[in-house]
Short mmCIF file of all heavy atoms in Angstrom, two decimals:
data_model
loop_
_atom_site.label_atom_id
_atom_site.label_comp_id
_atom_site.label_asym_id
_atom_site.label_seq_id
_atom_site.Cartn_x
_atom_site.Cartn_y
_atom_site.Cartn_z
N PHE R 8 94.74 60.19 44.96
CA PHE R 8 94.53 59.14 43.96
C PHE R 8 93.07 58.83 43.75
O PHE R 8 92.66 58.46 42.63
CB PHE R 8 95.35 57.92 44.35
CG PHE R 8 96.78 57.97 44.03
CD1 PHE R 8 97.71 57.94 45.00
CD2 PHE R 8 97.21 58.08 42.72
CE1 PHE R 8 99.10 58.00 44.76
CE2 PHE R 8 98.60 58.22 42.44
CZ PHE R 8 99.52 58.17 43.48
N GLN R 24 99.92 50.78 50.75
CA GLN R 24 101.33 51.28 50.68
C GLN R 24 101.50 52.72 51.24
O GLN R 24 102.54 53.24 51.12
CB GLN R 24 101.76 51.19 49.27
CG GLN R 24 101.82 49.78 48.70
CD GLN R 24 102.10 49.75 47.18
OE1 GLN R 24 102.91 50.50 46.66
NE2 GLN R 24 101.41 48.89 46.45
N GLY R 25 100.44 53.20 51.76
CA GLY R 25 100.49 54.56 52.38
C GLY R 25 100.67 55.61 51.28
O GLY R 25 101.08 56.72 51.55
N LEU R 26 100.21 55.35 50.08
CA LEU R 26 100.30 56.37 49.02
C LEU R 26 98.91 57.02 48.79
O LEU R 26 97.99 56.33 48.49
CB LEU R 26 100.76 55.73 47.71
CG LEU R 26 102.11 55.00 47.81
CD1 LEU R 26 102.49 54.35 46.43
CD2 LEU R 26 103.22 56.00 48.21
N GLU R 27 98.91 58.38 48.91
CA GLU R 27 97.65 59.03 48.84
C GLU R 27 97.64 60.14 47.80
O GLU R 27 96.70 60.28 46.99
CB GLU R 27 97.26 59.61 50.22
CG GLU R 27 95.84 60.10 50.30
CD GLU R 27 95.54 60.73 51.66
OE1 GLU R 27 96.48 60.76 52.56
OE2 GLU R 27 94.45 61.30 51.76
N HIS R 28 98.75 60.92 47.75
CA HIS R 28 98.77 62.10 46.87
C HIS R 28 99.69 61.81 45.65
O HIS R 28 100.82 61.38 45.88
CB HIS R 28 99.31 63.32 47.63
CG HIS R 28 98.54 63.57 48.89
ND1 HIS R 28 97.28 64.24 48.82
CD2 HIS R 28 98.74 63.40 50.23
CE1 HIS R 28 96.79 64.36 49.97
NE2 HIS R 28 97.68 63.85 50.88
N PRO R 29 99.18 62.05 44.52
CA PRO R 29 99.99 61.79 43.28
C PRO R 29 101.17 62.81 43.14
O PRO R 29 101.06 63.93 43.58
CB PRO R 29 98.99 62.03 42.11
CG PRO R 29 97.86 62.86 42.71
CD PRO R 29 97.77 62.59 44.22
N THR R 30 102.23 62.30 42.60
CA THR R 30 103.36 63.16 42.32
C THR R 30 103.09 64.00 40.98
O THR R 30 102.09 63.66 40.31
CB THR R 30 104.68 62.42 42.10
OG1 THR R 30 104.50 61.52 41.00
CG2 THR R 30 105.03 61.50 43.32
N ILE R 32 104.41 63.91 37.99
CA ILE R 32 104.30 63.13 36.74
C ILE R 32 103.00 62.33 36.71
O ILE R 32 102.36 62.15 35.71
CB ILE R 32 105.54 62.23 36.50
CG1 ILE R 32 105.44 61.41 35.17
CG2 ILE R 32 105.83 61.26 37.64
CD1 ILE R 32 105.64 62.25 33.98
N GLN R 33 102.61 61.86 37.92
CA GLN R 33 101.32 61.12 38.02
C GLN R 33 100.14 62.04 37.73
O GLN R 33 99.27 61.67 37.00
CB GLN R 33 101.23 60.47 39.39
CG GLN R 33 102.23 59.36 39.62
CD GLN R 33 102.56 59.03 41.03
OE1 GLN R 33 102.00 59.64 41.95
NE2 GLN R 33 103.48 58.08 41.25
N SER R 50 110.56 62.37 32.63
CA SER R 50 110.44 62.56 34.07
C SER R 50 111.78 62.16 34.71
O SER R 50 112.44 61.20 34.27
CB SER R 50 109.34 61.69 34.71
OG SER R 50 109.64 60.30 34.42
N LYS R 51 112.16 62.88 35.75
CA LYS R 51 113.43 62.53 36.35
C LYS R 51 113.31 61.28 37.22
O LYS R 51 112.15 60.96 37.58
CB LYS R 51 114.01 63.76 37.17
CG LYS R 51 113.23 64.11 38.42
CD LYS R 51 113.97 65.15 39.16
CE LYS R 51 113.33 65.37 40.54
NZ LYS R 51 113.95 66.40 41.31
N THR R 52 114.43 60.68 37.47
CA THR R 52 114.34 59.43 38.22
C THR R 52 113.82 59.73 39.64
O THR R 52 114.07 60.78 40.20
CB THR R 52 115.76 58.83 38.32
OG1 THR R 52 116.61 59.77 38.78
CG2 THR R 52 116.16 58.22 37.02
N GLY R 53 113.06 58.81 40.20
CA GLY R 53 112.54 58.98 41.55
C GLY R 53 111.30 59.83 41.61
O GLY R 53 110.79 60.22 42.64
N SER R 54 110.75 60.18 40.41
CA SER R 54 109.61 61.04 40.37
C SER R 54 108.26 60.36 40.53
O SER R 54 107.26 60.99 40.60
CB SER R 54 109.60 61.83 38.98
OG SER R 54 109.50 60.80 37.98
N GLY R 55 108.29 58.99 40.49
CA GLY R 55 107.03 58.26 40.58
C GLY R 55 106.50 57.85 39.24
O GLY R 55 105.32 57.59 39.11
N LYS R 56 107.35 57.74 38.21
CA LYS R 56 106.88 57.50 36.85
C LYS R 56 106.31 56.07 36.76
O LYS R 56 105.46 55.85 35.94
CB LYS R 56 107.93 57.81 35.88
CG LYS R 56 109.11 56.79 35.90
CD LYS R 56 110.07 57.12 34.78
CE LYS R 56 111.46 56.51 35.07
NZ LYS R 56 111.52 55.07 35.25
N THR R 57 106.79 55.19 37.54
CA THR R 57 106.36 53.77 37.35
C THR R 57 104.87 53.69 37.69
O THR R 57 104.05 53.12 36.93
CB THR R 57 107.15 52.82 38.28
OG1 THR R 57 108.51 53.12 38.29
CG2 THR R 57 106.91 51.36 37.92
N LEU R 58 104.42 54.32 38.80
CA LEU R 58 102.99 54.28 39.14
C LEU R 58 102.26 55.13 38.09
O LEU R 58 101.08 54.81 37.83
CB LEU R 58 102.76 54.83 40.48
CG LEU R 58 103.05 53.95 41.67
CD1 LEU R 58 102.68 54.63 43.01
CD2 LEU R 58 102.32 52.59 41.56
N ALA R 59 102.87 56.16 37.55
CA ALA R 59 102.20 57.00 36.57
C ALA R 59 101.72 56.18 35.32
O ALA R 59 100.71 56.54 34.72
CB ALA R 59 103.14 58.16 36.11
N LEU R 90 115.83 46.98 36.66
CA LEU R 90 114.68 47.87 36.57
C LEU R 90 113.39 47.11 36.25
O LEU R 90 112.33 47.32 36.86
CB LEU R 90 114.88 48.99 35.57
CG LEU R 90 113.73 49.94 35.36
CD1 LEU R 90 113.41 50.67 36.66
CD2 LEU R 90 114.03 50.95 34.19
N GLN R 93 112.11 45.45 39.27
CA GLN R 93 111.47 46.45 40.21
C GLN R 93 110.11 46.82 39.73
O GLN R 93 109.17 47.02 40.55
CB GLN R 93 112.37 47.66 40.25
CG GLN R 93 112.24 48.36 41.52
CD GLN R 93 113.43 49.29 41.58
OE1 GLN R 93 114.55 48.96 41.98
NE2 GLN R 93 113.19 50.54 41.27
N GLN R 97 106.50 46.24 41.71
CA GLN R 97 105.39 47.26 41.93
C GLN R 97 104.11 46.82 41.30
O GLN R 97 103.07 47.03 41.93
CB GLN R 97 105.90 48.59 41.27
CG GLN R 97 106.84 49.38 42.10
CD GLN R 97 106.78 50.86 41.88
OE1 GLN R 97 105.69 51.42 41.82
NE2 GLN R 97 107.91 51.54 41.76
N GLY R 313 116.80 53.87 37.53
CA GLY R 313 115.49 53.43 37.98
C GLY R 313 115.45 52.58 39.24
O GLY R 313 114.39 52.30 39.68
N LEU R 314 116.58 52.20 39.79
CA LEU R 314 116.48 51.38 41.00
C LEU R 314 115.94 52.20 42.17
O LEU R 314 116.24 53.40 42.33
CB LEU R 314 117.87 50.85 41.39
CG LEU R 314 118.42 49.83 40.46
CD1 LEU R 314 119.73 49.35 40.98
CD2 LEU R 314 117.44 48.61 40.34
N ASP R 315 115.08 51.58 42.89
CA ASP R 315 114.34 52.35 43.92
C ASP R 315 114.83 51.84 45.28
O ASP R 315 114.42 50.90 45.86
CB ASP R 315 112.87 51.96 43.72
CG ASP R 315 112.02 52.71 44.74
OD1 ASP R 315 112.56 53.72 45.33
OD2 ASP R 315 110.88 52.31 44.93
N LEU R 316 115.88 52.62 45.74
CA LEU R 316 116.49 52.10 46.98
C LEU R 316 116.41 53.27 47.98
O LEU R 316 117.17 54.19 47.96
CB LEU R 316 118.02 51.79 46.75
CG LEU R 316 118.17 50.62 45.71
CD1 LEU R 316 119.56 50.64 45.16
CD2 LEU R 316 117.80 49.30 46.31
N LEU R 317 115.36 53.27 48.80
CA LEU R 317 115.07 54.41 49.60
C LEU R 317 116.09 54.66 50.69
O LEU R 317 116.17 55.73 51.24
CB LEU R 317 113.68 54.22 50.24
CG LEU R 317 112.52 54.35 49.16
CD1 LEU R 317 111.16 54.03 49.82
CD2 LEU R 317 112.50 55.75 48.57
N ARG R 340 119.99 57.99 42.38
CA ARG R 340 119.83 56.83 43.24
C ARG R 340 119.63 57.30 44.69
O ARG R 340 119.26 56.49 45.57
CB ARG R 340 121.02 55.92 43.21
CG ARG R 340 121.43 55.24 41.91
CD ARG R 340 120.29 54.60 41.22
NE ARG R 340 119.59 55.60 40.41
CZ ARG R 340 118.24 55.65 40.32
NH1 ARG R 340 117.53 54.83 40.97
NH2 ARG R 340 117.74 56.56 39.56
N ARG R 343 115.59 59.88 46.87
CA ARG R 343 114.34 59.43 46.29
C ARG R 343 113.17 59.89 46.98
O ARG R 343 113.11 59.99 48.23
CB ARG R 343 114.33 57.86 46.33
CG ARG R 343 115.54 57.21 45.75
CD ARG R 343 115.60 57.29 44.31
NE ARG R 343 114.68 56.27 43.70
CZ ARG R 343 114.46 56.21 42.35
NH1 ARG R 343 115.02 57.12 41.56
NH2 ARG R 343 113.77 55.26 41.88
N ALA R 344 112.11 60.15 46.28
CA ALA R 344 110.74 60.57 46.82
C ALA R 344 110.95 61.59 47.94
O ALA R 344 110.37 61.38 49.03
CB ALA R 344 109.99 59.30 47.22
P1 LIG F 501 109.81 55.80 40.48
O1 LIG F 501 110.17 57.20 39.97
O2 LIG F 501 108.62 55.19 39.79
O3 LIG F 501 111.04 54.92 40.47
O4 LIG F 501 109.39 55.95 42.01
C1 LIG F 501 110.28 56.43 43.02
C2 LIG F 501 109.73 56.22 44.39
O5 LIG F 501 108.63 57.05 44.69
C3 LIG F 501 109.16 54.78 44.70
O6 LIG F 501 109.68 54.41 45.93
C4 LIG F 501 107.68 54.94 44.78
O7 LIG F 501 107.08 54.00 45.64
C5 LIG F 501 107.56 56.32 45.37
N1 LIG F 501 106.32 56.93 44.96
C6 LIG F 501 105.70 56.85 43.74
N2 LIG F 501 104.59 57.52 43.76
C7 LIG F 501 104.48 58.07 44.98
C8 LIG F 501 103.50 58.93 45.59
N3 LIG F 501 102.46 59.36 44.89
N4 LIG F 501 103.69 59.31 46.84
C9 LIG F 501 104.83 58.86 47.57
N5 LIG F 501 105.79 58.10 47.08
C10 LIG F 501 105.60 57.71 45.77
#
Side-chain angles (χ1 to χ4, degrees):
F8 282 116
Q24 295 171 41
L26 302 178
E27 191 184 353
H28 303 286
T30 62
I32 182 74
Q33 291 159 1
S50 59
K51 68 175 187 180
T52 51
S54 61
K56 70 178 158 58
T57 318
L58 284 184
L90 180 60
Q93 206 165 282
Q97 281 210 44
L314 290 183
D315 182 17
L316 301 163
L317 289 173
R340 301 308 86 223
R343 307 285 282 173

